[in-house]
Amino acid sequence: FRGGGERERGELDYVMFERGDARTPHRVLRYPMGHPRLEALLSPTMEAIRADPELGERVNDVRFLVTLRGSAALVTITYNRPIGEEWKAAAEALAESFAARNLGRVNFVGRSRKVKVVAGDDVIEEELEVPGPEGRSRRVRYAQMEGAFTQPNAAVCEKMLEWAVDATAGSEGEDLCELYCGNGCFTLALAPNFRRVLATEMSAASVRLARRNVEANQADNVRVVRLSAEDFVQAYAGTREFR
């Protein structure tokens, strides 16, 4: 959500824009189509931003990342000004107040030009259900990092994973190459269906995250490497070697 209005007059609020019209802001007071955890954090977060100049001065936007299962949340606030230790102290105090109000564990990340300040953690854990052996479901654990790509709708993601797992059933004697695997979302769901899996990604942060998720899920048949699609084609064809 973008920040709109004037904090000095108590008018700062979340705003969104109609597609094709970036000049007319629409205030967002509720977001019922989102996860209940997100909905519960909207008002308290904005109240804190309005009340504390350190949190509210020159806010650009506010981004929420919550999980389908579990109570952890990650809130990123971006600014059009420098931030530092004073911002971190204010965000840590806000996280403590949220915990005291039974709003769960909320991590905060502040961003300004070339600066990232973390109050708590910048990674939260998600669990998604996918089809398992003999028709039983299984849960796959994913670490999700602030700023890295994640599927924006976990419930829809579970449906996509279910389709992909069913579509590749019976491929246990074959190998899989997944290009641009992100944090390993599809990689780990599909791994039991294949003999070996090679997952590639360009982002160094996503590679680290995917490897962390491979280890957490004990997916011994998965290897994650940092390669572009072009690099992979060259390596596969044997025209170029990579470390």
Side-chain angles (χ1 to χ4, degrees):
F1 302 99
R2 290 286 302 273
E6 297 293 333
R7 188 191 66 81
E8 291 79 1
R9 297 203 301 265
E11 294 179 356
L12 187 65
D13 218 327
Y14 304 116
V15 299
M16 297 181 75
F17 298 86
E18 293 284 356
R19 183 174 298 179
D21 180 6
R23 295 186 176 183
T24 308
H26 299 273
R27 299 178 72 186
V28 178
L29 303 178
R30 297 186 61 232
Y31 196 68
M33 68 286 291
H35 192 279
R37 181 89 169 103
L38 188 158
E39 174 86 352
L41 290 173
L42 282 178
S43 292
T45 301
M46 181 52 67
E47 290 169 2
I49 290 173
R50 289 171 180 158
D52 189 336
E54 185 59 44
L55 297 173
E57 183 182 353
R58 298 184 69 183
V59 170
N60 181 53
D61 64 25
V62 184
R63 309 167 191 175
F64 295 85
L65 179 61
V66 300
T67 58
L68 194 62
R69 298 174 180 88
S71 61
L74 201 160
V75 179
T76 302
I77 310 175
T78 67
Y79 294 88
N80 296 313
R81 65 173 178 89
I83 59 171
E85 289 301 313
E86 291 183 355
W87 183 91
K88 182 177 181 180
E92 288 174 339
L94 179 56
E96 291 178 4
S97 73
F98 277 11
R101 296 165 60 184
N102 295 320
L103 289 172
R105 181 170 63 87
V106 182
N107 304 286
F108 289 91
V109 174
R111 284 188 174 272
S112 61
R113 183 176 174 82
K114 297 183 179 180
V115 173
K116 175 180 177 179
V117 181
V118 179
D121 200 347
D122 63 351
V123 176
I124 59 176
E125 300 283 342
E126 175 68 286
E127 287 189 355
L128 299 180
E129 285 194 356
V130 300
E134 300 177 359
R136 298 190 304 269
S137 65
R138 64 186 181 92
R139 287 192 177 183
V140 184
R141 296 166 53 195
Y142 298 100
Q144 299 182 335
M145 179 179 291
E146 187 275 337
F149 174 78
T150 57
Q151 294 291 337
N153 188 317
V156 172
C157 183
E158 285 187 328
K159 295 297 183 182
M160 293 192 297
L161 295 177
E162 179 182 356
W163 177 87
V165 171
D166 289 344
T168 56
S171 304
E172 290 79 5
E174 302 178 18
D175 298 333
L176 171 69
C177 175
E178 181 187 6
L179 303 179
Y180 303 107
C181 67
N183 70 344
C185 182
F186 280 82
T187 315
L188 293 165
L190 295 175
N193 281 6
F194 292 89
R195 180 179 58 182
R196 294 177 300 182
V197 178
L198 176 66
T200 74
E201 177 56 65
M202 276 293 293
S203 163
S206 292
V207 168
R208 290 192 296 270
L209 202 58
R211 288 173 176 170
R212 171 176 170 170
N213 290 332
V214 167
E215 183 177 353
N217 289 278
Q218 299 179 336
D220 298 332
N221 65 329
V222 176
R223 184 181 180 190
V224 180
V225 296
R226 188 181 182 192
L227 288 174
S228 68
E230 181 181 5
D231 291 340
F232 168 76
V233 170
Q234 292 175 343
Y236 188 75
T239 58
R240 183 181 173 190
E241 292 186 0
F242 295 86
R243 290 183 295 174

